[in-house]
Amino acid sequence: MPGRIERSPFFLVLMAIGSAAMLVPAVHGYQSRELEVARAFFYGAVLFGVLTLLVGLAVGRQNRDRPVRSDLLALTCGLLVLPLMLALPFHQSLEGIPLRDAWFEMVSCLTTTGASLFLRVEGLPDTLHLWRAMVGWLGGLLFWVAALAIFAPLNLGGFEVVVAEQSRANRKSLSETRMRDSTHRLTRYTARLTPIYAGLTVVLWILLVLSGMEPFRASIAAMSTLSTSGITAGGDGATGGVLSELVIFAFLLFAVSRLTFSSDNTRRAPGYLWRDPEVRLAATLIVLVPAFLFLRHFFAAFEYAGAEDLGQSLRVLWGGLFTTLSFLTTTGFESVAFADARIWSGLTTPGLILMGLALIGGGVATTAGGVKLLRIYALYRHGIREMERLIHPSSVGGSGSAARRLRREGAFVAWIFFMLFAMSATIIMAAITLVGPGFETAMILTIAALSTTGPLAQVAGEAPIFYDTLTDGTRVILALAMVLGRLETLAFIALFDAGFWRE
């Protein structure tokens, strides 16, 4: 790390947004007559609002012509410090809740992981459920903007594969973009994406209410869906019924590819979305996994084919379809029909399938976590090409220069990331095993944290794993793993690279 790091107002903006957001649960608590909760959030908004103002005045004038790497450092510090600020009113609202538990909850929400300590707590005020969903929603917006304004210019977050797919002229353009003022870039993408993000959330909320969900639970589900946090208000039936799941399913598609909401600086020709490799790979998985669960029962019990009616068969197929997309986008919603799908397939604990989907993750520059579909696709194309060369050593790969760059440079950087991801998982699993849980539990918790799919812990093993039963040391390790999984390992390595900071 260099001796001088450029000061960035980005962290102050995060503090200001966090303190202003506390006014919403304060008003909701007052309207719901949860006065103690409302008071805690109102005092928190005033306290941290004044603190943000004082820090802003102390920092003084900033150099507007600063590189984007300072914002990457500010984002990293924000994920480590901001949850403590967000946790304080949560801690003050409930007696007997340690600050460390509230901090873990806010880290989980801000990183859109959705690993909650309060799944089995009855009587938790609705205002606190609203705050959890709001923090997750703001975290999704934060990383949606950061992906395009911070990670893209630095060729991180999956964009290193995108750059390998582009021409030399586009690479030069990105290199020039890296040297531009990051304040302008953050402002531009925030102004462009926030109305889309908020508008989609409102539309989803309206559709969920029309589908029969209670307005409050619909708001929680809408914010959790767009942010892929999987946060619920507790209780069963978090996704409502099949009709509500149909609506949620449609909006989860925004986490499959960045091209669903961004042109990616390319001209949109007819059929552009289907030609996107992330969309095609996701569609393949969405078809194959539910088909496997469905056909496993069909062929195993062929002689009893008439025992189930058509309605049950469609319900089972839908349960697998919805749950597959939910875990692929690292949301972690389980369909109301997925229990029937598990019984139908004979896989009472399809943990490996769900963990595999969460590891693959969603699209680049979306709110989803995981390894990312584009990296998996680059490795797949490289593997296919290598098998072709084993059969025809003198053959020349086709599909154009873009596809060749993706198979070569794209696959190379994707393999580097995958190895770093595997090393991180190994280290975290070893650390968790040393402080208590066994190997299988440690593996499930590690994948849930690194892929930011917190609900995976309740469905991946033979028995549900509840975060409130874990030791404090385990939860601290998991919280740090959530931050690592959200920022990705390459970003952390970049922060410690001297060449990255050199002017």
Side-chain angles (χ1 to χ4, degrees):
M1 298 285 286
R4 182 183 64 85
I5 298 177
E6 294 86 353
R7 297 176 296 175
S8 169
F10 185 43
F11 181 71
L12 290 177
V13 172
L14 295 180
M15 289 184 60
I17 294 175
S19 58
M22 293 179 187
L23 294 174
V24 177
V27 174
H28 181 273
Y30 179 79
Q31 294 293 333
S32 304
R33 310 316 296 171
E34 298 168 351
L35 299 183
E36 292 295 332
V37 179
R39 185 180 298 111
F41 278 97
F42 178 74
Y43 289 165
V46 174
L47 172 63
F48 291 110
V50 172
L51 180 62
T52 302
L53 178 61
L54 294 177
V55 173
L57 292 175
V59 169
R61 298 168 59 186
Q62 297 290 337
N63 179 19
R64 291 184 56 84
D65 188 19
R66 66 181 196 283
V68 69
R69 56 178 177 259
S70 59
D71 288 329
L72 177 61
L73 181 61
L75 179 62
T76 306
C77 295
L79 288 179
L80 296 175
V81 178
L82 195 61
L84 186 62
M85 182 187 86
L86 302 175
L88 191 58
F90 195 100
H91 163 67
Q92 294 294 324
S93 300
L94 292 176
E95 295 183 0
I97 299 297
L99 182 59
R100 60 179 180 273
D101 290 353
W103 171 78
F104 175 87
E105 191 75 15
M106 291 299 101
V107 171
S108 173
C109 293
L110 189 62
T111 57
T112 70
T113 303
S116 179
L117 299 174
F118 303 97
L119 287 178
R120 301 186 293 176
V121 176
E122 297 182 358
L124 190 70
D126 287 344
T127 302
L128 295 184
H129 285 303
L130 177 64
W131 180 237
R132 292 172 56 240
M134 282 186 60
V135 173
W137 187 82
L138 291 172
L141 177 60
L142 169 64
F143 284 99
W144 210 18
V145 174
L148 296 175
I150 298 177
F151 291 127
L154 296 175
N155 297 336
L156 298 172
F159 281 97
E160 69 278 4
V161 182
V162 177
V163 171
E165 191 180 5
Q166 293 175 343
S167 63
R168 183 174 300 178
N170 287 337
R171 295 186 198 183
K172 183 179 179 181
S173 176
L174 284 175
S175 178
E176 293 174 352
T177 301
R178 182 183 297 126
M179 303 305 296
R180 294 173 56 188
D181 176 36
S182 61
T183 301
H184 172 73
R185 188 166 44 253
L186 281 168
T187 303
R188 178 161 53 91
Y189 281 113
T190 301
R192 178 188 300 178
L193 295 179
T194 301
I196 300 175
Y197 191 71
L200 289 174
T201 306
V202 172
V203 172
L204 177 56
W205 174 74
I206 294 173
L207 293 176
L208 289 176
V209 172
L210 293 177
S211 69
M213 288 188 70
E214 299 177 1
F216 178 76
R217 287 186 173 271
S219 64
I220 301 293
M223 288 187 285
S224 300
T225 300
L226 266 298
S227 63
T228 67
S229 63
I231 296 172
T232 65
D236 298 328
T239 58
V242 175
L243 184 58
S244 301
E245 290 177 356
L246 283 169
V247 177
I248 293 175
F249 184 90
F251 281 80
L252 284 177
L253 295 176
F254 288 100
V256 169
S257 172
R258 67 195 182 281
L259 297 185
T260 56
F261 58 87
S262 174
S263 63
D264 205 24
N265 296 323
T266 58
R267 184 177 180 180
R268 295 192 173 191
Y272 74 95
L273 197 57
W274 176 245
R275 289 193 296 271
D276 180 42
E278 291 182 318
V279 173
R280 299 177 69 175
L281 179 57
T284 302
L285 292 171
I286 293 170
V287 171
L288 290 182
V289 174
F292 167 76
L293 296 176
F294 183 84
L295 295 177
R296 188 178 187 273
H297 167 84
F298 182 80
F299 288 111
F302 184 79
E303 62 272 19
Y304 305 105
E308 294 87 6
D309 57 19
L310 179 61
Q312 182 182 0
S313 300
L314 294 177
R315 178 180 174 85
V316 166
L317 192 58
W318 169 251
L321 190 68
F322 177 84
T323 306
T324 296
L325 179 60
S326 176
F327 278 87
L328 181 64
T329 57
T330 67
T331 305
F333 284 147
E334 186 177 353
S335 172
V336 294
F338 189 63
D340 297 334
R342 288 186 297 182
I343 296 173
W344 177 287
S345 65
L347 296 174
T348 55
T349 55
L352 288 177
I353 296 176
L354 298 179
M355 285 191 292
L357 290 171
L359 276 175
I360 293 174
V364 173
T366 65
T367 57
V371 175
K372 300 296 172 51
L373 286 164
L374 189 59
R375 292 188 178 112
I376 300 297
Y377 179 79
L379 292 175
Y380 164 76
R381 294 301 304 169
H382 179 73
I384 292 295
R385 176 58 188 153
E386 289 300 311
M387 287 189 290
E388 290 176 352
R389 293 179 63 184
L390 288 176
I391 301 174
H392 303 287
S394 300
S395 63
V396 177
S399 302
S401 59
R404 286 195 294 271
R405 284 193 296 269
L406 182 63
R407 290 196 304 260
R408 296 171 183 171
E409 294 92 338
F412 177 74
V413 294
W415 179 252
I416 291 176
F417 174 84
F418 189 81
M419 288 295 99
L420 291 174
F421 188 93
M423 291 173 58
S424 302
T426 302
I427 295 172
I428 294 170
M429 284 174 56
I432 293 176
T433 305
L434 289 176
V435 297
F439 174 79
E440 182 179 350
T441 301
M443 179 180 65
I444 294 174
L445 292 174
T446 299
I447 295 176
L450 285 178
S451 66
T452 65
T453 317
L456 186 66
Q458 282 79 55
V459 298
E462 294 184 3
I465 303 172
F466 294 100
Y467 291 94
D468 58 325
T469 62
L470 303 176
T471 62
D472 292 338
T474 302
R475 289 202 287 264
V476 170
I477 295 173
L478 287 177
L480 297 177
M482 293 173 195
V483 175
L484 177 63
R486 186 74 266 187
L487 282 178
E488 298 187 352
T489 314
L490 286 175
F492 275 99
I493 293 178
L495 291 175
F496 292 96
D497 182 16
F500 176 79
W501 293 96
R502 189 174 296 114
E503 293 290 349

